[in-house]
Amino acid sequence: MSIQKTKYIWMNGKFLSWDEAKIHVLTHALHYGSGVFEGIRCYNTIKGPAIFRLQDHIKRLFNSARKCLIEIPYPENKICEVIVELIKLNKLKECYIRPIVFRGYGEMGLNPQNNPVEVAVIVWGWGAYLGDESLKKGVKTMVSSYRRTPSNVLPSHIKATACYLNSILAKLEALNHGYDEAIMLNQKGFVAEGPGENIFLVKNGVIYTPPAYSDILLGITRDSILKIAENLEYEVKEVDITVEMLYNADEAFFTGTATEVVPICEVDGRKIGDGKPGPITLKLQKEYLDIVRGKKAEYEAWLTYI
Ligand code: PMP
């Protein structure tokens, strides 16, 4: 789906028109992937538009930058204010929010220290990441031949632009084989995550997800689902997951800001459970979608109203 243009983009301290927000072809990040970013969503609620877990996303952005030795020339609260203002200016009720911090045009070569740090925020309407039907019907997946980059090669646990070539290769492989999405293993051969999603499975009523040390991004949706599942009194285990456990699961699902909560119906041609979205997946999906749309008072602290 092509990007739905909006009126304004915030870039390096200014609100610019969409078409004005351009970069030079010698931008360091374009050549060497020296950037970090976030993906956040704003949902319409009965009390108006609200951003889901904004401060947590911005904390992760600053943490990603710190790991890459990039100093963001604004404080965290300024970026939060800019996002709220940009959504207002663009008169959006629901949108995807993409803050990006990157090394700009300065010098060429692998030492980025003399290249300016540029910051932009873009907001636009973006529907279901894995397709409109994905939330209801689920998706078909394959275990990728691409392993997730181990943290001592590229830090998978931060949102660095450079890490995403690994994800793109896995995604294209899955699409070229006729699947909707890939599942990536880590170097040890345990299930890690999707190219842009965390993964969960359900067996005998217990919910499983790979632990933090398994070369995964610590997704904010993953964290939300862990808290929601505990509040609903499910037993949750963060343990190493083998491909065999995945094949034998009763249910499986992906989580992510763009993806939301999407059932996985098939892995490598094997049906998960009866091949239809499972009851626990659908319960967690409903709870999540109710929370982001402000229908659950006990989760209000996760919402920043515009
Ligand atoms: N893993 C990867 C590799 C991702 O790119 C994303 C999307 N940000 C996720 C997991 C899910 O993270 P979140 O729930 O914070 O969007």
Side-chain angles (χ1 to χ4, degrees):
M1 207 205 325
S2 56
I3 296 173
Q4 291 176 23
K5 220 164 143 169
T6 55
K7 225 167 169 188
Y8 301 103
I9 286 175
W10 184 87
M11 198 165 165
N12 298 328
K14 292 192 194 115
F15 291 98
L16 305 176
S17 72
W18 182 278
D19 292 324
E20 261 184 300
K22 291 193 172 139
I23 54 160
H24 195 276
V25 72
L26 282 170
T27 295
H28 195 271
L30 180 64
H31 296 253
Y32 303 122
S34 48
V36 295
F37 66 102
E38 265 308 315
I40 315 169
R41 271 192 192 272
C42 171
Y43 290 91
N44 204 8
T45 75
I46 22 174
K47 290 201 263 167
I51 304 167
F52 187 62
R53 301 196 65 174
L54 174 62
Q55 287 79 11
D56 296 314
H57 280 282
I58 298 307
K59 269 203 184 80
R60 190 171 66 183
L61 178 73
F62 276 71
N63 187 39
S64 297
R66 207 171 300 119
K67 295 272 163 59
C68 297
L69 301 165
I70 295 174
E71 208 169 307
I72 302 180
Y74 305 95
E76 285 182 29
N77 65 347
K78 169 73 182 172
I79 305 292
C80 291
E81 281 165 27
V82 160
I83 289 172
V84 170
E85 197 51 40
L86 189 63
I87 295 171
K88 272 191 203 160
L89 272 176
N90 281 310
K91 300 188 171 62
L92 292 168
K93 297 226 178 321
E94 298 222 344
C95 61
Y96 183 77
I97 304 158
R98 167 57 54 85
I100 182 161
V101 178
F102 57 98
R103 294 281 187 181
Y105 167 34
E107 292 182 9
M108 192 44 75
L110 294 179
N111 174 7
Q113 284 167 323
N114 293 322
N115 291 58
V117 174
E118 305 213 28
V119 187
V121 180
I122 312 104
V123 296
W124 72 94
W126 194 3
Y129 175 69
L130 291 174
D132 288 340
E133 297 283 273
S134 65
L135 281 102
K136 280 194 202 121
K137 292 196 172 159
V139 290
K140 293 183 177 175
T141 66
M142 68 173 278
V143 173
S144 181
S145 66
Y146 290 98
R147 294 285 167 107
R148 196 82 189 113
T149 46
S151 298
N152 59 355
V153 175
L154 269 179
S156 309
H157 57 284
I158 64 168
K159 277 186 85 74
T161 58
C163 296
Y164 281 84
L165 183 58
N166 181 232
S167 292
I168 291 168
L169 291 171
K171 177 89 193 177
L172 288 177
E173 183 187 40
L175 294 177
N176 287 337
H177 284 81
Y179 295 96
D180 303 305
E181 190 55 298
I183 293 172
M184 301 175 81
L185 309 183
N186 62 22
Q187 283 298 317
K188 291 190 185 138
F190 293 113
V191 173
E193 60 183 340
E197 308 89 358
N198 290 113
I199 191 167
F200 287 75
L201 62 82
V202 180
K203 185 74 184 175
N204 298 329
V206 179
I207 298 169
Y208 296 85
T209 198
Y213 60 74
S214 42
D215 293 327
I216 57 168
L217 182 77
L218 285 177
I220 288 167
T221 322
R222 174 187 181 276
D223 180 69
S224 306
I225 290 294
L226 287 174
K227 291 192 173 122
I228 294 165
E230 273 162 29
N231 291 345
L232 292 172
E233 297 186 346
Y234 286 111
E235 190 181 343
V236 183
K237 291 188 178 168
E238 292 180 64
V239 290
D240 285 332
I241 294 173
T242 61
V243 175
E244 213 46 44
M245 283 164 77
L246 186 59
Y247 287 167
N248 290 323
D250 299 329
E251 305 178 30
F253 58 92
F254 283 130
T255 64
T257 299
T259 304
E260 300 170 317
V261 179
V262 164
I264 297 172
C265 292
E266 206 181 291
V267 182
D268 293 337
R270 292 156 180 87
K271 281 184 180 158
I272 299 298
D274 61 3
K276 299 202 183 81
I280 294 179
T281 304
L282 292 179
K283 171 129 186 112
L284 292 168
Q285 183 194 65
K286 182 174 186 318
E287 190 78 359
Y288 178 77
L289 294 176
D290 280 350
I291 290 167
V292 297
R293 292 216 160 75
K295 294 182 190 162
K296 300 271 170 179
E298 62 273 35
Y299 293 96
E300 279 280 295
W302 281 349
L303 304 180
T304 301
Y305 288 95
I306 299 294

